[in-house]
Amino acid sequence: IRLPESNTETEVPLSLGSAGVALDAETQVSQIQQALVNNLHWVQGKDEQFANAHDYYTALAHSVRNQLLKKRIRTAKTYAEAKAKNVYYLSAEFLMGRQLGNGLINLGMYDTMRHALADCGLDLDELLEREAEPGLGNGGLGRLAACFMDSLTTLNLPAIGYGIRYEFGIFTQLIRQGHQVEAPDKWLSYGNPWEIARPDYRVEIKFGGHTEVYKKDGDDDYQVRWIQAQTVIGIPHDVPVPGYGTDNVNLLRLWKAEAGEAFDLDAFNAGDYFGAVANKMISENITKVLYPNDETRQGKELRLQQQYFFVACSLQDIIRLHLRDHSNLGNLAEFSAIQLNDTHPAIGVAELMRLLIDEYSFEWAAAWQITQRTFGYTNHTLMPEALEKWSVDLFGKLLPRHLEIIYEINHRFLAQVKLRYPNDPDRLERLSLIEEGGERRVRMANLACVGSHAINGVAALHTELLKQEVLQDFYELWPDKFSNKTNGITPRRWLLQCNPRLAQLISETIGDSWITNLDDLKQLEAHLDDEAFRHAWQAIKQENKWSLARYIHDAVGIEVNPDSMFDVQIKRIHEYKRQLMNVLHVITLYNRMVQNPGDHVVPRTVIFGGKAAPGYAMAKLVVKLINAVADVVNNDPSVNGRLKVVFLPNYNVSQAQRLFPASDLSEQISTAGMEASGTGNMKFALNGALTIGTLDGANVEIREEVGADNFFLFGLTTEQVAACKAVGHNPWYYYDTNPELKRTLDVIASGLFSPGEPDLFLPILDSLLVDDPYMVMADFAAYVQCQEHVSRTYEDRDRWVRMAILNTARIGKFSADRTIADYAREIWKVKAVPVAGE
Ligand code: T68
């Protein structure tokens, strides 16, 4: 490693000279190297002799962070002066992915940095790999929040993302003997160069205790106050969020819980040292770990504590910011749009009411108007069993004042409903914020609906189903509150950063405006008949597949053939997503090879990745089945490499960035009517993979955009699924009438995949044959047939490449920039506040 001498300036501008003029390449390189060595010496406290790769990573991260903070300071100033309306995105999860590569890309420094590092003997790729992935989310919902932050900043919209700084993110998935084993995710153990703790913006959060009525000094009216049993401190940790090609830098503000009184002095003085510290442990537990369940409710007290904690912290912060620029909270809704990312932050409705009424002495009606005008609610699920509900007992114990407020909201709301529907007690019962019958429970989705002026679904089909099913009563009451905002993804991380070769080919062909205006990819269509272009396209896919093949070999020791079709399903393991149907297809292909060894087959590599919730037995058994099938298929000499099955452990954002660019076929095969939107489906298509999919979630709109000819559609529609279930779905019928399906299930039952444990997969067979809730049996034949069509199409490589190009060219609608522009215009009513260039 050859670095210059360090100097005492700890920050050196990287891309601009002091007069604001762009520096020549040589000066840039030497400045980058200077900044790096300064950070190595003055941040890490090491020199080249002792520094390891992680030290270089940290030094580099600080170089980038300095650039971001410089921009952040100007952004904060600009926003404060503009007194503009702000977006506050409340989300229990932000699945940001690694920050260094993205920071370099968004700052436009990526290539210069690579060059400057190479010039002194350092490899950027290697340093990028040193960053721990911040896995502060489960899946689609958390990653959507991250894409939204990127787009908010790129569009120069003033925004803060508020969430939780989990000390342990989503668990690390290990595979042992084919089974998923969970290990803690210690992502903070080497420190986090991207965050800045802000103890000066600490807030106090109450829990438990009771409420009492009192008379304020000099006031005749009674007020309520909440006498808490416990106080927890929230410390914000700020992560700068860069946009692409802009000087704006927004914030992700994540809250960490600390003890109010680190030491209970009385206990301490009485000699109870352990008791004195215990309180600290209890408080800090609140932000200790992310709940690893996607799509299922976790009725645990700690989960409700997490939700209330981060929402209450965020609302105090929002109010502090508002009162910095305005004299009172009466105009809060004009300057703040708060978006609830699912129901996890819905307690915010009751908390804002409490703050306005108890702390700022607003009348109920005025407080309610402010609250409703401020909040918007995004729903992410159609599964009724996933809707959050909290037992009234638990709720009242933890948040006694909020329960009172929710009762009052409910009382007034139901009175209004009764006027509109005088003789409809069932409707009242369904709309009520409190579920009666059995244990009484607070319905968080109902609270979110009542407390918001806007309610949206995340894909056209999902929004329609919300209106017809899960939220039908609310739709009938307030049709104007409802709208659709089809999800989107950021083209910066999901093409420019993860697929640099394809990004470069596209930019050479049509220019680089697509990076911030994804519809411009349409211009690629004009090059469809250019053979050189198609060849270049295919060569890039091939290179990406080679590089994934090397990664697979390093990760799991399986040799895969880069000329085979890479057939990929990567997402959380869930019955409704039907990874099981995919494995059944694999077994069917295997059976054919065994039965008819001479038959011509199109070689495939079927790749799976995804985590199962630790308590979700069926999902974990599917993981085991995939690995067990892989063991048999990959080691059977008669298969002769024509079929390989790979389960990549620990699927996360970094791994996703390797997988999308190298995929040929995207598996989007959920039971129709179950997947709210999907966003992986968009990332595949953007990177030129073709989709095999059902008419579910955003698949419907993707197919509309790319054209039915360029999409492999199969399976029952939502209506057909419902009709099938209504008349009584009989899975045995498919077993008895489809010999290939029968054979596939029989092979599992034979124990071929579970030597020594013949009953291991019985629960899977039972689920398929007893009630088959996700219609795997009903859709199987159509799926297999469609896969045959896929294979035939893949054989005509030129046709396939044309279809791939058209997928990329026509996917522009699914940019998160479009999604955010729609939210901004139609729900938030916020305008861009660009920071002036230096
Ligand atoms: C996903 N939801 C939807 N939930 O399943 C997916 N849930 O269709 C959609 O594209 C995506 O949201 C974005 O809209 C989730 O990812 C969770 O992760 C989750 C986590 C905790 C509790 C409930």
Side-chain angles (χ1 to χ4, degrees):
I1 313 278
R2 306 168 302 275
L3 288 171
E5 290 290 304
S6 59
N7 61 33
T8 49
E9 285 175 42
T10 51
E11 193 224 334
V12 176
L14 291 186
S15 51
L16 292 170
S18 49
V21 289
L23 299 173
D24 62 82
E26 207 176 312
T27 318
Q28 275 189 40
V29 164
S30 80
Q31 288 207 351
I32 284 173
Q33 293 173 345
Q34 187 67 61
L36 183 74
V37 75
N38 286 351
N39 288 332
L40 186 67
H41 291 186
W42 314 137
V43 176
Q44 287 305 89
K46 285 195 184 174
D47 70 5
E48 296 83 322
Q49 189 187 348
F50 293 108
N52 58 33
H54 195 271
D55 295 316
Y56 283 106
Y57 156 72
T58 308
L60 184 54
H62 273 271
S63 295
V64 172
R65 165 185 150 141
N66 287 346
Q67 300 304 306
L68 295 178
L69 293 181
K70 224 164 65 172
K71 292 190 177 202
R72 173 59 204 173
I73 289 165
R74 285 198 287 134
T75 303
K77 214 172 138 131
T78 305
Y79 288 172
E81 281 163 11
K83 295 194 194 304
K85 187 168 184 178
N86 282 263
V87 178
Y88 301 113
Y89 198 79
L90 265 54
S91 179
E93 304 186 3
F94 286 90
L95 197 47
M96 298 295 282
R98 288 175 173 156
Q99 296 300 291
L100 178 55
N102 185 248
L104 288 170
I105 291 265
N106 278 7
L107 288 167
M109 290 171 47
Y110 197 90
D111 293 331
T112 316
M113 183 61 79
R114 171 182 298 286
H115 176 64
L117 292 174
D119 184 64
C120 55
L122 289 162
D123 177 17
L124 176 59
D125 290 332
E126 200 186 311
L127 298 189
L128 293 175
E129 285 299 309
R130 298 290 151 177
E131 180 171 352
E133 166 153 329
L136 309 187
N138 272 285
L141 172 147
R143 183 53 231 178
L144 184 77
C147 283
F148 279 6
M149 291 308 297
D150 184 276
S151 286
L152 280 161
T153 314
T154 300
L155 293 173
N156 297 326
L157 296 168
I160 299 180
Y162 283 110
I164 300 175
R165 181 184 178 275
Y166 299 105
E167 189 178 331
F168 299 98
I170 187 71
F171 63 87
T172 300
Q173 180 193 51
L174 310 171
I175 301 295
R176 295 281 179 264
Q177 270 96 47
H179 290 279
Q180 169 176 304
V181 172
E182 300 87 21
D185 164 44
K186 302 181 192 160
W187 73 289
L188 288 169
S189 51
Y190 283 84
N192 176 8
W194 302 104
E195 67 180 16
I196 300 181
R198 300 276 184 213
D200 48 330
Y201 297 143
R202 74 206 301 129
V203 294
E204 283 189 18
I205 304 300
K206 307 179 194 184
F207 285 101
H210 63 277
T211 65
E212 62 184 30
V213 175
Y214 73 108
K215 248 186 183 169
K216 252 195 178 162
D217 290 345
D219 202 333
D220 288 341
D221 289 340
Y222 286 99
Q223 290 269 114
V224 179
R225 69 180 157 211
W226 174 15
I227 312 296
Q228 78 273 30
Q230 194 197 350
T231 304
V232 177
I233 306 296
I235 311 280
H237 288 60
D238 289 352
V239 180
V241 179
Y244 184 82
T246 172
D247 281 330
N248 288 46
V249 170
N250 281 320
L251 284 187
L252 177 61
R253 181 160 278 177
L254 303 178
W255 298 96
K256 176 179 193 282
E258 289 190 359
E261 285 294 339
F263 283 96
D264 176 340
L265 270 185
D266 292 340
F268 187 61
N269 290 333
D272 182 9
Y273 174 77
F274 194 84
V277 184
N279 172 44
K280 182 172 163 65
M281 297 193 325
I282 292 167
S283 300
E284 295 187 350
N285 271 344
I286 293 178
T287 54
K288 191 63 75 181
V289 57
L290 168 77
Y291 276 99
N293 316 295
D294 69 320
E295 315 272 350
T296 49
R297 145 163 82 72
Q298 195 36 276
K300 292 278 191 312
E301 178 170 3
L302 182 60
R303 172 80 172 158
L304 182 57
Q305 286 179 1
Q306 289 185 336
Q307 295 182 352
Y308 176 65
F309 170 75
F310 98 87
V311 167
C313 288
S314 307
L315 284 173
Q316 281 192 45
D317 202 55
I318 290 166
I319 287 174
R320 173 182 64 80
L321 289 167
H322 184 87
L323 292 179
R324 193 185 66 187
D325 296 338
H326 306 277
S327 58
N328 67 79
L329 293 173
N331 58 357
L332 181 71
E334 277 109 273
F335 293 95
S336 308
I338 306 181
Q339 193 66 26
L340 304 171
N341 195 25
D342 216 292
T343 56
H344 319 140
I347 185 63
V349 170
E351 172 67 0
L352 184 57
M353 287 298 286
R354 186 191 72 81
L355 289 165
L356 291 171
I357 290 169
D358 294 356
E359 311 273 336
Y360 293 92
S361 307
F362 278 80
E363 297 291 339
W364 183 279
W368 187 239
Q369 201 174 57
I370 293 170
T371 300
Q372 274 191 321
R373 286 182 181 176
T374 303
F375 283 104
Y377 161 50
T378 303
N379 173 287
H380 295 265
T381 185
L382 283 162
M383 285 185 291
E385 69 269 25
L387 293 180
E388 283 201 307
K389 293 164 191 174
W390 293 107
S391 112
V392 164
D393 271 2
L394 172 78
F395 202 99
K397 233 177 51 194
L398 204 65
L399 304 170
R401 180 58 181 144
H402 297 79
L403 188 58
E404 291 173 1
I405 289 171
I406 285 171
Y407 283 150
E408 182 64 23
I409 294 172
N410 202 32
H411 175 74
R412 291 169 185 247
F413 168 55
L414 292 182
Q416 189 193 329
V417 176
K418 226 179 279 180
L419 282 178
R420 181 97 176 257
Y421 303 97
N423 297 309
D424 197 345
D426 288 349
R427 183 184 297 263
L428 245 62
E429 193 273 313
R430 294 192 305 268
L431 282 167
S432 173
L433 303 192
I434 308 296
E435 183 175 272
E436 312 276 347
E439 196 189 19
R440 301 175 71 231
R441 295 192 293 184
V442 184
R443 294 167 165 158
M444 300 310 275
N446 294 33
L447 178 62
C449 285
V450 174
S452 301
H453 68 280
I455 303 168
N456 74 281
V458 291
L461 173 66
H462 170 235
T463 302
E464 282 316 302
L465 294 173
L466 277 183
K467 294 193 225 171
Q468 290 162 24
E469 288 162 24
V470 192
L471 301 179
Q472 187 194 1
D473 294 307
F474 287 101
Y475 179 63
E476 287 172 10
L477 202 54
W478 302 308
D480 295 343
K481 274 197 190 186
F482 283 73
S483 74
N484 175 244
K485 298 286 172 284
T486 298
N487 283 167
I489 56 170
T490 169
R492 272 74 67 182
R493 185 176 292 266
W494 296 114
L495 179 51
L496 184 58
Q497 190 188 341
C498 74
N499 200 345
R501 292 186 269 249
L502 190 62
Q504 194 187 341
L505 174 66
I506 293 172
S507 293
E508 282 167 6
T509 310
I510 60 168
D512 64 4
S513 62
W514 61 271
I515 299 168
T516 49
N517 188 0
L518 204 61
D519 282 325
D520 287 351
L521 289 177
K522 288 231 154 62
Q523 296 164 24
L524 290 172
E525 287 194 41
H527 301 267
L528 200 60
D529 290 326
D530 175 348
E531 199 182 323
F533 175 69
R534 292 201 307 279
H535 269 131
W537 187 283
Q538 192 174 354
I540 287 166
K541 179 65 79 180
Q542 209 50 37
E543 277 188 71
N544 292 341
K545 288 169 73 176
W546 274 100
S547 115
L548 180 63
R550 280 189 296 273
Y551 175 80
I552 289 172
H553 187 259
D554 291 348
V556 290
I558 299 173
E559 206 67 75
V560 304
N561 171 10
D563 293 323
S564 64
M565 180 202 306
F566 280 14
D567 171 351
V568 182
Q569 187 170 21
I570 40 178
K571 48 182 80 236
R572 287 300 289 256
I573 312 290
H574 218 291
E575 286 166 284
Y576 85 79
K577 295 178 190 280
R578 299 200 294 192
Q579 282 92 354
L580 178 56
M581 192 166 71
N582 189 344
V583 202
L584 296 185
H585 172 242
V586 170
I587 299 172
T588 303
L589 292 180
Y590 175 65
N591 289 341
R592 288 181 187 174
M593 289 182 192
V594 171
Q595 273 188 313
N596 309 302
D599 278 6
H600 166 76
V601 296
V602 178
R604 282 193 194 224
T605 302
V606 185
I607 301 169
F608 294 86
K611 296 178 184 179
Y616 190 170
M618 191 59 88
K620 291 176 108 170
L621 198 54
V622 168
V623 171
K624 170 64 185 172
L625 179 61
I626 295 170
N627 283 302
V629 170
D631 267 351
V632 171
V633 169
N634 296 347
N635 297 307
D636 185 333
S638 69
V639 170
N640 197 15
R642 293 172 298 169
L643 180 61
K644 282 272 164 80
V645 183
V646 175
F647 186 94
L648 274 177
N650 206 37
Y651 177 61
N652 60 13
V653 175
S654 312
Q655 209 179 74
Q657 290 174 213
R658 298 175 182 273
L659 284 159
F660 291 116
S663 296
D664 295 309
L665 186 65
S666 156
E667 297 271 353
Q668 306 302 332
I669 59 177
S670 51
T671 318
M674 306 288 309
E675 189 71 87
S677 163
T679 44
N681 46 5
M682 302 165 188
K683 295 166 196 169
F684 276 110
L686 179 62
N687 285 277
L690 305 188
T691 306
I692 180 166
T694 49
L695 282 179
D696 200 17
N699 295 355
V700 178
E701 292 157 80
I702 292 175
R703 179 167 171 270
E704 252 166 43
E705 292 292 308
V706 305
D709 291 346
N710 303 300
F711 187 106
F712 299 103
L713 178 70
F714 76 95
L716 299 174
T717 62
T718 309
E719 294 76 25
Q720 289 167 335
V721 168
C724 211
K725 286 189 172 167
V727 300
H729 167 48
N730 174 18
W732 279 105
Y733 168 79
Y734 302 94
Y735 178 84
D736 290 333
T737 57
N738 182 343
E740 272 205 314
L741 177 55
K742 176 172 186 307
R743 188 177 158 84
T744 294
L745 298 197
D746 289 350
V747 171
I748 297 174
S750 77
L752 176 66
F753 304 117
S754 50
E757 290 175 281
D759 295 343
L760 181 64
F761 297 119
L762 270 190
I764 287 181
L765 297 170
D766 272 358
S767 160
L768 287 171
L769 289 167
V770 174
D771 53 356
D772 187 25
Y774 300 99
M775 310 304 270
V776 171
M777 301 293 284
D779 268 344
F780 185 74
Y783 178 57
V784 171
Q785 208 177 24
C786 191
Q787 288 284 22
E788 284 161 11
H789 182 202
V790 168
S791 285
R792 284 194 303 276
T793 310
Y794 190 71
E795 278 195 299
D796 182 349
R797 220 46 77 83
D798 194 55
R799 167 140 181 251
W800 188 278
V801 175
R802 286 170 181 269
M803 291 169 74
I805 293 169
L806 287 176
N807 267 262
T808 303
R810 297 175 177 176
I811 207 71
K813 168 176 170 184
F814 304 97
S815 170
D817 298 344
R818 186 272 311 153
T819 312
I820 286 297
D822 289 351
Y823 275 96
R825 195 178 53 252
E826 294 164 20
I827 296 181
W828 301 330
K829 321 276 188 217
V830 293
K831 294 241 146 47
V833 180
V835 171
E838 227 177 0

